[in-house]
Amino acid sequence: MEYTLTSKVQSQAKAVLKDWIAVPSVCDETDDKTPFGRHIQEALEIALDTCEELGFKTFIDPQGYYGYAEIGQGEELLAILCHLDVVPAEDLVEWTHNPFEMVESDGKLYGRGTQDDKGPSVAALYGVKALMDQGYEFNKRVRFIFGTDEETLWRCMARYGEIEEQATYGFAPDSAFPLTYAEKGLLQAYLVGPGSNDLTLNNDRAFNAVPAKAMYQGDKMDAVKAALDQLGFEYTEEARQIVVLGKSVHAKDAYEGTNAVIRLALALEKLFPENPAFKLIKDKFYETGYAKPIFGEVEDEMSGPLTVNLSKLIINEDESRIGLDIRIPVTADKDLLVDQLAKAAAEYDFEYQEFDYLNSLYVPLDSPLVNTLLEVYRDLTGDMTEPISSGGATFARTMPNCVAFGAQTKGAAVTEHQIDEYISVENFYDAMEIYAHAVKELASDPA
Ligand SMILES: [Zn+2]
């Protein structure tokens, strides 16, 4: 791509990204002074300081749920929806570099948050800064909204939505180019059933990832190993427990992963054939990532198939608890699906409990916003890839007329949520360039 942005603004952006990555803004709810921990509070303050230095007016929610930075004037509000929290780094020893010290190597910027979502946020911010440097005036208010709770429960945007102004339109730089105009509904739920005196399990993994590990500890080690061998499932033994191995992918692509928790349940079902949790999992979920025995074929052209990720299996004397992450096509009827799920669960004496639900997103392809963003992207890149729909969830669905726009460029590796997360320098600069032109088209008068 030919850059109109100067190398000066590019390297400023890189330096700022380094500062933002240095804050390990992982959710921590044990701190009593902040909703999501002092690191997230610090990330919010640093981001707003950066914006203020660039000439934005800033506001921080006194309770610490969100902040925003605004430039320009006019009735209409162009929102750029970012988030400053990151997922945990997990095993530090597996990282090549310290995840919270951005390192540039081989044309890549390594660090937790470089791709999701600090890198894209800084790229968008400096795209706008470049316009300011070039003397553009904004005929709409351009507002960067910084959420702090995207990787967990979106309480930041819930609070923003209760108090603050909604977007006229906007985008979330938290996905891939060209743009996402449809996002599936996202349902996270529990099935809760009878406890067991025979065994205890405590596999409490994140909802939004296919679990790569599942643990068993108890007095049937040899029998569990024999069952796993018989099924051909991989496992290791560590610290007197069996660790069943799978392959983790994002829950939206559940059908591409290998679910270690389900594999453990299938092995345990052989030892405890009367246990209703294992029966339920074997009969209704098995390994496919669709749970077709419950829902049948659910799919639409805009958003693809319904997917199901079973990531939590907790069994103790009091209860058995199964955690599910379900991505619902935009045209499907959520209430009907919940009905089907509750009925299937009831056959095994399990009860449905909703944990969280996010509405789907759908902005028509012929809307002015989609047209403008797509035109900017195509002009700059020559890439004619059609807009996509996604099972992922971005803040775009928290406001009307918002889409996900970038920042992964075509062919870029998906590294978010993974060990050695990175964004390539080229991707970072390309995204800045695209965002600058997009905001110029959407919200500026000629310089
Ligand atoms: Zn993100």
Side-chain angles (χ1 to χ4, degrees), residues 83 85 115-117 150-151 173-175 393-394 416-417:
H83 70 89
D85 57 319
Q115 188 174 71
D116 180 20
D117 184 43
E150 199 270 348
E151 300 296 355
D174 194 13
S175 186
T394 66
E416 57 174 349
H417 297 204

Side-chain angles (χ1 to χ4, degrees), residues 396-446:
R397 68 174 82 201
T398 64
M399 276 185 217
N401 305 316
C402 289
V403 296
F405 184 54
Q408 280 161 48
T409 45
K410 198 180 184 191
V414 178
T415 63
E416 57 174 349
H417 297 204
Q418 294 177 23
I419 306 285
D420 286 340
E421 176 177 351
Y422 72 85
I423 186 170
S424 73
V425 176
E426 188 184 13
N427 190 155
F428 185 56
Y429 292 166
D430 285 358
M432 265 174 77
E433 189 75 30
I434 295 166
Y435 290 135
H437 286 262
V439 173
K440 186 164 76 182
E441 285 306 314
L442 292 170
S444 85
D445 295 325

Side-chain angles (χ1 to χ4, degrees), residues 193-211:
S196 168
N197 295 316
D198 299 330
L199 84 167
T200 307
L201 288 182
N202 194 18
N203 287 285
D204 190 8
R205 301 270 157 174
F207 274 110
N208 65 0
V210 172

